[in-house]
Amino acid sequence: MGSSLITLHGKDFQPYLSAAQLAEAVENLAARINADYAGRQPLFVVILTGGFMFASDLLKHITLTCEVVFIRVSSYEGTESSGMVQEVLGLREEVAGRDLILIEDIVDTGTTMHHLLPRLLAQNPASVEIATLFFKPASLRHELTLNYVAREIPNDFVVGYGLDYDGLGRNLPDVYVAV
Ligand code: 5GP
């Protein structure tokens, strides 16, 4: 991992988690999902955009026969949650009776999931679980069951490995935290 600060839109970020640390956390999570869903054929629902890199690495370690689809909900502007979540776009697959595993980059306030889960549950899936790369327990404002968290982090703003700061930083293989 680079040991130096990076600057995005004039804001400084310092190294926080290396690609190797992320890989280990993601592999461990995939192993748990493989064990828990043995004999089932889950439908992974990747939440764009921030979840793309995590989803790619996680799914490479999933040994189950499974399907993968991509959806989009609203995202942040800047470093503060808008608290607003817009429409769910892109879920055309039949969800009824399926075991859904949502793949999300980060659960912060939980607002995104709080709005998304009822919409999915209304379509009568057999089950819904959330697999998130990061979880900030100190920020959570809604009741949520998170069974698959790759890593809990403090209430700081992070970028890299899919996560952006106003559009920048998604391509970084390591994760950085705002200084
Ligand atoms: P929530 O709805 O749980 O408050 O936030 C979920 C979304 O907020 C994430 O999918 C992500 O887009 C954004 N978010 C929350 N915390 C961070 C962060 O530390 N860094 C970045 N880049 N995005 C974040």
Side-chain angles (χ1 to χ4, degrees), residues 162-178:
L163 290 133
D164 75 313
Y165 173 50
D166 279 350
L168 300 182
R170 293 196 197 277
N171 56 309
L172 300 166
D174 307 309
V175 168
Y176 295 76
V177 65

Side-chain angles (χ1 to χ4, degrees), residues 137-156:
S139 313
L140 193 66
R141 287 193 220 136
H142 302 275
E143 207 172 300
L144 273 185
T145 304
L146 295 174
N147 288 331
Y148 300 114
V149 176
R151 177 118 186 183
E152 290 192 2
I153 62 171
N155 196 6
D156 297 317

Side-chain angles (χ1 to χ4, degrees), residues 56-125:
S56 172
D57 287 343
L58 182 79
L59 289 164
K60 278 183 266 185
H61 295 284
I62 294 295
T63 52
L64 306 160
T65 302
C66 64
E67 283 173 77
V68 182
V69 298
F70 298 84
I71 66 167
R72 180 183 287 277
V73 294
S74 72
S75 60
Y76 272 31
E77 288 203 348
T79 58
E80 295 290 321
S81 170
S82 65
M84 296 292 293
V85 177
Q86 293 155 4
E87 246 183 319
V88 180
L89 301 172
L91 191 61
R92 287 179 290 270
E93 281 66 21
E94 184 60 58
V95 161
R98 302 298 309 272
D99 291 309
L100 305 187
I101 304 175
L102 310 184
I103 303 186
E104 172 69 300
D105 55 355
I106 182 164
V107 175
D108 180 20
T109 63
T111 304
T112 307
M113 285 300 156
H114 180 75
H115 285 83
L116 181 56
L117 285 175
R119 289 168 196 235
L120 295 173
L121 289 169
Q123 298 182 48
N124 296 315

Side-chain angles (χ1 to χ4, degrees), residues 1 15-30 53-54 57-58 61 105 132-134 149-153 158-163 169-176:
M1 169 162 69
Y16 181 56
L17 289 168
S18 69
Q21 288 173 302
L22 293 163
E24 190 186 351
V26 171
E27 281 180 43
N28 288 340
L29 188 60
M53 210 177 271
F54 168 51
D57 287 343
L58 182 79
H61 295 284
D105 55 355
T132 187
L133 173 63
F134 294 131
V149 176
R151 177 118 186 183
E152 290 192 2
I153 62 171
V158 291
V159 295
Y161 196 66
L163 290 133
R170 293 196 197 277
N171 56 309
L172 300 166
D174 307 309
V175 168
Y176 295 76

